Amino acid sequence: MKSYILLFTAAMILVCEGRQLSRCELVRELRKYGFPENQMKDWVCLVENESSRRTDVIGKPNRDGSRDFGLFQINDRYWCSNTNAPGKDCNVTCKQLLSNNIRDSAVCAQKIYKRHGFNSWYGWINRCRGKPLPDITSC
Ligand SMILES: *[C@@H]1O[C@H](CO)[C@@H](O)[C@H](O)[C@H]1NC(C)=O
Ligand SMILES: CC(=O)N[C@H]1CO[C@H](CO)[C@@H](O)[C@@H]1O
């Protein structure tokens, strides 16, 4: 019983460590890392649908067994390394992409965008492309 309580406590601490940004906090963070204003609503929509603006989300395994990490749900097949050493195309560990400091995630997302555009993200294709985008006028 005791060990269950310990496990539960540990799990809660892990759950609570992550941070859910408000929509305007997200906009502020994205501005800080130089995301262009004319793409802002698309990025907000993308992040809302990929991670609900939570920094610490690890997605369910994809069909090919790969997983998606963090705010932008970045894939470990090509972009981040699941070892302790930074690697793959963004030269980061996947764990770094779960940090409350979104710097590494932001830089990596911009790299992905540069290469493939928003079409890299199913969350964007399915829920944002050609659809009404989130209102950020008050941010
Ligand atoms: C990857 O990042 C590490 C530091 O995290 C750095 O030492 C290394 O030079 C980088 N490698 C490349 C190819 O940029
Ligand atoms: C699941 C999810 O987060 N869906 C969101 C996708 O984006 C639209 C527009 O911002 C939201 O309204 C949905 O809630």
Side-chain angles (χ1 to χ4, degrees):
M1 189 61 196
K2 222 176 204 169
S3 62
Y4 276 116
I5 292 170
L6 267 174
L7 255 178
F8 181 75
T9 311
M12 284 316 288
I13 290 168
L14 278 176
V15 167
C16 296
E17 213 175 63
R19 175 168 158 227
Q20 180 167 35
L21 285 73
S22 72
R23 184 175 280 175
C24 284
E25 277 172 340
L26 174 65
V27 169
R28 269 198 300 278
E29 288 286 317
L30 295 177
R31 282 183 179 139
K32 188 162 120 191
Y33 293 106
F35 286 76
E37 209 54 42
N38 64 358
Q39 295 174 356
M40 199 56 75
K41 288 181 185 178
D42 281 285
W43 282 109
V44 171
C45 182
L46 183 158
V47 168
E48 290 190 346
N49 283 292
E50 290 286 351
S51 65
S52 303
R53 292 185 244 105
R54 289 196 67 95
T55 56
D56 64 340
V57 175
I58 303 178
K60 290 202 207 94
N62 298 308
R63 238 180 252 187
D64 63 1
S66 64
R67 283 187 168 233
D68 301 327
F69 292 79
L71 211 52
F72 302 92
Q73 288 292 280
I74 291 171
N75 194 273
D76 64 3
R77 184 164 181 179
Y78 306 109
W79 304 102
C80 65
S81 160
N82 256 322
T83 67
N84 286 327
K88 302 236 172 139
D89 283 17
C90 286
N91 193 27
V92 289
T93 64
C94 298
K95 204 168 163 226
Q96 284 174 271
L97 301 179
L98 304 175
S99 170
N100 284 341
N101 177 340
I102 75 154
R103 188 181 159 276
D104 292 325
S105 279
V107 170
C108 188
Q110 284 167 348
K111 188 164 202 172
I112 297 169
Y113 177 83
K114 224 181 211 167
R115 222 174 277 174
H116 306 294
F118 285 122
N119 287 317
S120 294
W121 286 275
Y122 284 110
W124 182 84
I125 293 174
N126 294 331
R127 297 211 179 92
C128 307
R129 186 170 62 186
K131 303 233 160 76
L133 295 172
D135 181 8
I136 56 168
T137 45
S138 63
C139 299

